[in-house]
Amino acid sequence: MCGIAGVFDRNGGDQSHSVEAMTRAIAHRGPDGHAVWSDAAAGVALGHRRLAIQDLSPAGAQPMVSADGRWVIVFNGELYTHMTERPALEAAGCSFRGHSDTETFLALIQRYGVEATLPRLVGMFAAAIWDRQDRALWFVRDRMGVKPLYWAEFGTAVLFGSELKALAADPRCSRDIDPESVAQYLRFGAVPAPRAIWRGVHKLAPGSWLRIGADGSRTNGQYWSVTAVAEAGLATRLPADPILVGQELDRYLHDAVACRLIADVPLGAFLSGGIDSSLVVAVMREVSSAPVRSFAIGFDDPALNEAAHAAAVAHALGSDHTTLMASGRDAEALIPGLAGLVDEPLGDASILPTYLVSRLTRGHVTVALSGDGGDELFGGYDRHRLAHRLTQARTRLGFLSPLATMAARSLGGRVPALTKLAEVLALDGADPLYSWFISHWKTTAAVLPGVTQPVSAIDDPTLAARVPDPAERMLLADSLLYLPDMVLTKVDRASMAVALEAREPLLDHRLVEFAWRVPLALKLREGRGKWLLREALYRRVPQALVDRPKQGFAPPLAHWLRGPLRGWAEDLLSPQRLADHG
């Protein structure tokens, strides 16, 4: 785990000074070392900030050059099964200096090439790879988008980095706000890939690669697609047998968690007491030979506090549990610095407790497993169940649906909730319904006059034919946009701000492919979401600890913005400030 940055200028020249500045800007991602590799004749420099996890010796340091001297890599992330690739590589004549996954990554590229290597990898990664022979720069990103990679081309120079602040350290980088990206932010609460908030800057899409040649040519491709996985899964359904499917789930969970325990540093897990994190900790206990450490955040406001639930689950599982009790003031104090933490606007208040629990955890371990992904794969959000029910209700109502809409509208002035119900009932189909649920602003015309709302991945008109069931299409839409651009961005920034590596076993691509073969009836069942995951957890902890409402974290933002943060917020929204920023 680390931070990466670099420059490739087709006009040549020494880029190392610029890349030194770029890596300094993301020093928080890698406090254990830094280095820059450069070739002035080719105009390329690659920089790395190291958070040492596997092979803490100099043999694991980056930038790293392949054994044959052709390839140079800077790599952010982890390859969890890389040691299983080594016997075949050694039989083919490869030799290794150490046991880092970076060295295995390079050996695979040396033997198979970049494109053929990517499908072999199990892990989370964002990497830049320089081909010294063909004078070409490759960018690659993991399947689900766990690790970030920004890139931009200004004139003859290509810049890249793990965060926008790395690109900003190079004076060639434009910082002009892209109004269409602002429109997407106002809609989704995030700027989805491939866009970024700055004009001309891009995010590499999950599961994809990009090659930039010395002549400026670009070629790109996708080696894995969650949409294609969904289609394949729906075509090869598992039988709706909860026992057999539950056994298969256990096998995938054990493999996903076990391989994520590879580390040469202390390791633990986030534990909120919810289904996903509790299941991860339970499986850790089953596959780990060492005691499991778990960490939770609690708040002095009872409405926000899940610490007691987490402690009860930890006691049931026998984990070595640590809780940090925080106050509303602790979270409130973080808000003015959030922009510097995330770079791009990110409208998710749960970044506050995510940062606080990451800071707590980093005081004890360097790696933490999380439960991210369970909601998006197995139907855990309220909107999944509500939209499913509303779609069924509309079908049953038939011609009465317009009458119900009119009634809700007429009463909406007296009962505000009915106004929202009327809006929902008036929507034409499941896809507009999903958009309504996830859109913060239903229309941005009032605040961004003349700005066209860009088409996003979830607006693809072919999705309905490829994934016919509305509820399953909603799960796919979450995996395409909400998960990588909101949830995983939040976790990456909050954890890496304190140099903590967060690993997501529920997003192992093999488990994702399995989840899409699971019948919907084993996900949304008996009026509850994540039924299959619940059943897996019931086998490991008392059911009474699991069956409680999904709480999440909802800080009293309105109170803070009317009270202690009012001056700060009003200054940001003052007419002069808005005019200055356009």
Side-chain angles (χ1 to χ4, degrees):
M1 185 64 72
C2 54
I4 62 175
V7 177
F8 171 33
D9 193 325
R10 297 193 303 274
N11 285 344
D14 184 4
Q15 309 297 324
S16 59
H17 294 298
S18 178
V19 175
E20 287 278 5
M22 296 169 76
T23 56
R24 280 197 301 272
I26 53 172
H28 53 278
R29 297 183 71 96
D32 297 331
H34 71 280
V36 173
W37 178 93
S38 67
D39 181 344
V44 66
L46 308 179
H48 185 259
R49 297 291 315 201
R50 187 182 189 192
L51 176 60
I53 302 293
Q54 295 188 52
D55 194 344
L56 311 186
S57 75
Q62 302 181 44
M64 188 179 290
V65 181
S66 63
D68 65 357
R70 175 176 176 178
W71 306 93
V72 188
I73 193 171
V74 284
F75 159 46
N76 169 27
E78 300 288 347
L79 304 183
Y80 302 119
T81 60
H82 75 99
M83 293 302 290
T84 64
E85 296 279 2
R86 289 203 172 192
L89 291 169
E90 289 170 331
C94 292
S95 59
F96 295 93
R97 302 184 304 276
H99 63 273
S100 76
D101 52 345
T102 310
E103 195 174 3
T104 308
F105 199 168
L106 276 174
L108 288 168
I109 292 172
Q110 179 179 320
R111 178 161 176 76
Y112 299 109
V114 176
E115 284 187 72
T117 290
L118 297 176
R120 305 177 71 99
L121 305 180
V122 177
M124 56 180 185
F125 52 89
I129 306 149
W130 174 247
D131 182 349
R132 300 173 79 179
Q133 175 179 296
D134 293 345
R135 293 169 67 98
L137 182 63
W138 292 77
F139 298 139
V140 301
R141 192 178 180 198
D142 66 67
R143 295 169 178 85
M144 295 299 291
V146 179
K147 292 290 100 185
L149 183 60
Y150 291 85
W151 70 277
E153 189 168 12
F154 297 106
T156 59
V158 175
L159 317 176
F160 72 88
S162 296
E163 299 180 22
L164 271 180
K165 58 176 63 70
L167 276 66
D170 188 299
R172 290 168 285 199
C173 180
S174 167
R175 303 189 195 183
D176 294 336
I177 298 293
D178 182 356
E180 292 187 354
S181 294
V182 175
Q184 286 196 307
Y185 168 70
L186 292 176
R187 179 184 178 190
F188 299 121
V191 181
R195 288 182 173 272
I197 194 65
W198 290 341
R199 197 191 309 272
V201 179
H202 316 276
K203 292 191 280 278
L204 191 66
S208 69
W209 56 267
L210 171 67
R211 180 186 183 277
I212 302 175
D215 59 355
S217 61
R218 295 186 208 163
T219 53
N220 60 74
Q222 194 164 22
Y223 66 93
W224 192 89
S225 159
V226 70
T227 303
V229 164
E231 285 186 276
L234 298 180
T236 56
R237 287 283 201 193
L238 295 167
D241 183 330
I243 295 177
L244 291 177
V245 177
Q247 291 171 345
E248 278 289 279
L249 172 64
D250 278 358
R251 183 173 68 81
Y252 280 104
L253 285 172
H254 277 88
D255 287 349
V257 171
C259 71
R260 280 163 179 77
L261 300 182
I262 179 174
D264 296 329
V265 294
L267 181 146
F270 298 139
L271 179 60
S272 69
I275 294 168
D276 304 331
S277 64
S278 299
L279 185 56
V280 167
V281 172
V283 176
M284 284 178 70
R285 182 189 176 197
E286 293 169 0
V287 301
S288 176
S289 59
V292 174
R293 303 200 63 180
S294 57
F295 302 89
I297 189 82
F299 287 88
D300 55 7
D301 184 341
L304 308 178
N305 190 22
E306 291 188 294
H309 299 296
V313 173
H315 178 74
L317 293 174
S319 68
D320 179 4
H321 191 62
T322 302
T323 301
L324 168 69
M325 294 303 297
S327 68
R329 288 189 177 183
D330 292 324
E332 173 194 314
L334 295 175
I335 291 178
L338 281 181
L341 179 68
V342 300
D343 281 340
E344 288 190 290
L346 187 67
D348 186 348
S350 66
I351 193 171
L352 300 170
T354 304
Y355 174 82
L356 289 171
V357 76
S358 295
R359 190 170 65 184
L360 160 70
T361 304
R362 185 62 175 94
H364 302 269
V365 300
T366 311
V367 176
L369 272 62
S370 83
D372 295 307
D375 290 309
E376 293 80 8
L377 294 177
F378 292 92
Y381 294 127
D382 289 340
R383 63 173 175 262
H384 298 149
R385 298 189 301 279
L386 182 56
H388 190 45
R389 290 171 182 169
L390 285 172
T391 300
Q392 292 176 325
R394 284 167 58 92
T395 301
R396 287 194 295 267
L397 282 171
F399 72 92
L400 294 176
S401 183
L403 296 179
T405 302
M406 291 173 62
R409 281 176 175 165
S410 65
L411 294 172
R414 285 171 285 171
V415 186
L418 289 178
T419 300
K420 291 187 177 181
L421 177 60
E423 292 178 11
V424 169
L425 291 174
L427 295 170
D428 183 21
D431 298 315
L433 183 64
Y434 178 73
S435 181
W436 187 92
F437 275 125
I438 66 167
S439 295
H440 296 260
W441 290 64
K442 311 309 178 189
T443 175
T444 59
V447 289
L448 293 171
V451 177
T452 302
Q453 179 71 243
V455 174
S456 72
I458 67 169
D459 299 317
D460 182 351
T462 70
L463 292 183
R466 301 168 79 176
V467 182
D469 185 276
E472 290 181 312
R473 197 156 64 252
M474 184 176 288
L475 297 179
L476 174 59
D478 277 340
S479 293
L480 286 170
L481 191 149
Y482 181 75
L483 179 63
D485 294 307
M486 180 74 85
V487 176
L488 296 178
T489 299
K490 170 195 69 180
V491 174
D492 175 80
R493 300 303 189 277
S495 60
M496 292 308 295
V498 294
L500 175 75
E501 174 169 297
R503 297 178 175 179
E504 288 82 10
L506 299 184
L507 294 178
D508 186 301
H509 76 274
R510 299 164 299 182
L511 181 54
V512 173
E513 290 166 359
F514 161 78
W516 274 105
R517 298 185 65 211
V518 172
L520 185 62
L522 297 184
K523 297 179 181 180
L524 301 176
R525 184 166 174 156
E526 300 169 357
R528 295 179 299 175
K530 293 192 290 195
W531 185 87
L532 192 64
L533 294 187
R534 288 175 184 273
E535 291 296 310
L537 189 56
Y538 292 160
R539 296 192 291 272
R540 293 167 166 93
V541 301
Q543 184 172 341
L545 297 181
V546 180
D547 287 343
R548 59 185 181 86
K550 186 178 179 68
Q551 186 168 350
F553 177 78
L557 294 177
H559 171 73
W560 292 345
L561 292 172
R562 292 189 185 102
L565 294 177
R566 179 169 181 168
W568 169 80
E570 288 184 341
D571 179 61
L572 287 175
L573 297 174
S574 69
Q576 185 61 50
R577 179 71 71 96
L578 293 176
D580 290 345
H581 286 281

